[in-house]
Amino acid sequence: MEGVPEQFTDERDCARFRHLALLPGVELYHAHISRYAFEPHTHEAFGIGAIEAGAERFRYRGTQYVAPVHSVVTMNPDELHTGEAETADGWRYRMVYLEPDLLEEVTGIRHWWFSDVMRHDPLRTRLICTQIHGLWHTDDPLAQQGILLDLIDTFRPLAHHAPQRPEGAHRFERVRDYLHDNYMHSLTLDELAKVAALSPYHFQRQFKAHFHVTPHQMLMAIRLWRAKAFLTQGMPAADVAAVTGLTDQSHLTRAFTHRYGITPVRYQKQVTRR
């Protein structure tokens, strides 16, 4: 089955990605997952999608959710989440990942964010699935840009447009920025705690309370998101492992597959295919 990496243990599991050459900042994703359980991972993009069949169970912001068929899913950048099947036959879904800068450029609106990660909305689900399908199967750049605008208009009523900054968040945002700037290095808890001006274990507890993941989980999520970008640029997987701070290509392959359900090499073939 096309798109199923060797590491999938069930032949019904498949995941496919596509990038649009003339629309940088857009990643399309279509999957049917029955047995695979995704480890915590993140995207530096807004994730908008719809459940076409079955139901998904996932953890987001420290809370467990079940998204049944005809649910719209809206995730903010840098929010770690998991994913696994809630029903025996798994779940089928389509997603589009939009870089924040692109979303602002297309709409002229800043400070996008979603307070609700899911909602049952059959009409909007059908529209989003149709629009993502249209983007996937259209090569005309003008048509792609029009479909993208229609897609954004479909989910725009679900979004808010005001900056969100919880009290005390700046301390942990500094650490998150530090992780983004230094993901290629070996980092220690003491080093990160100094950035937050807290004692190490107090920092780790507060960091997890704020982001719902440990510093190491966030670091790995950032490394693997960067790995996707390097793979998209055509960098060999062994080199990607080296520049993202991972031990070797085997380490990259295991970690990448656990989080995205596809090997780095197969992901690279899908997103660079013309």
Side-chain angles (χ1 to χ4, degrees):
M1 185 184 300
E2 181 181 358
V4 178
E6 293 82 354
Q7 282 78 1
F8 273 140
T9 57
D10 192 296
E11 65 180 6
R12 290 172 294 179
D13 292 343
C14 65
R16 292 180 293 153
F17 291 84
R18 188 182 180 206
H19 289 183
L20 306 177
L22 298 180
L23 273 181
V26 176
E27 181 173 74
L28 305 175
Y29 176 69
H30 187 205
H32 183 187
I33 306 297
S34 296
R35 295 290 180 268
Y36 203 80
F38 294 96
E39 292 187 356
H41 60 281
T42 188
H43 309 275
E44 291 181 13
F46 289 96
I48 295 93
I51 310 296
E52 294 182 292
E56 175 195 13
R57 175 181 294 277
F58 63 99
R59 181 166 56 84
Y60 181 83
R61 293 178 180 161
T63 301
Q64 289 284 345
Y65 295 90
V66 173
V69 63
H70 299 151
S71 292
V72 176
V73 176
T74 49
M75 293 184 171
N76 298 311
D78 283 331
E79 297 281 4
L80 277 90
H81 53 280
T82 61
E84 60 184 307
E86 173 68 9
T87 52
D89 293 330
W91 85 104
R92 188 175 73 247
Y93 62 116
R94 295 181 185 269
M95 298 289 296
V96 59
Y97 297 100
L98 301 175
E99 297 286 350
D101 288 346
L102 174 68
L103 194 52
E104 180 179 338
E105 181 182 357
V106 172
T107 64
I109 299 173
R110 301 180 62 193
H111 305 306
W112 284 75
W113 61 281
F114 298 97
S115 56
D116 297 322
V117 68
M118 57 156 285
R119 63 207 37 85
H120 186 257
D121 190 332
L123 176 58
R124 209 180 305 270
T125 296
R126 287 193 292 271
L127 282 173
I128 289 174
C129 286
T130 299
Q131 289 157 345
I132 293 176
H133 180 272
L135 276 175
W136 192 296
H137 294 283
T138 301
D139 292 323
D140 185 322
L142 186 61
Q144 289 176 344
Q145 291 163 340
I147 294 171
L148 177 62
L149 184 59
D150 288 341
L151 174 60
I152 293 171
D153 286 341
T154 299
F155 66 74
R156 184 193 299 233
L158 308 179
H160 302 276
H161 308 290
Q164 292 297 291
R165 192 178 180 84
E167 184 177 355
H170 63 282
R171 183 191 300 267
F172 300 104
E173 289 171 359
R174 286 202 307 269
V175 178
R176 183 177 60 190
D177 291 343
Y178 188 85
L179 290 171
H180 277 285
D181 292 340
N182 296 277
Y183 65 88
M184 68 293 295
H185 303 306
S186 178
L187 302 176
T188 67
L189 184 61
D190 287 351
E191 181 180 353
L192 298 177
K194 287 180 180 178
V195 176
L198 294 171
S199 63
Y201 287 112
H202 180 61
F203 157 71
Q204 183 166 247
R205 290 194 304 272
Q206 293 300 311
F207 185 96
K208 186 173 183 180
H210 186 77
F211 289 117
H212 309 294
V213 292
T214 66
H216 181 259
Q217 287 175 314
M218 179 171 284
L219 174 62
M220 286 300 297
I222 292 170
R223 284 172 168 171
L224 293 170
W225 175 256
R226 295 297 183 188
K228 288 175 70 177
F230 290 129
L231 290 165
T232 299
Q233 295 166 11
M235 183 182 291
D239 294 343
V240 172
V243 300
T244 53
L246 299 174
T247 306
D248 51 29
Q249 185 174 344
S250 296
H251 187 193
L252 170 66
T253 298
R254 291 193 304 273
F256 195 96
T257 306
H258 286 160
R259 284 161 176 80
Y260 298 123
I262 187 170
T263 65
V265 172
R266 185 160 298 195
Y267 172 83
Q268 186 173 62
K269 289 179 180 177
Q270 290 183 0
V271 300
T272 58
R273 183 183 301 153
R274 294 291 183 265

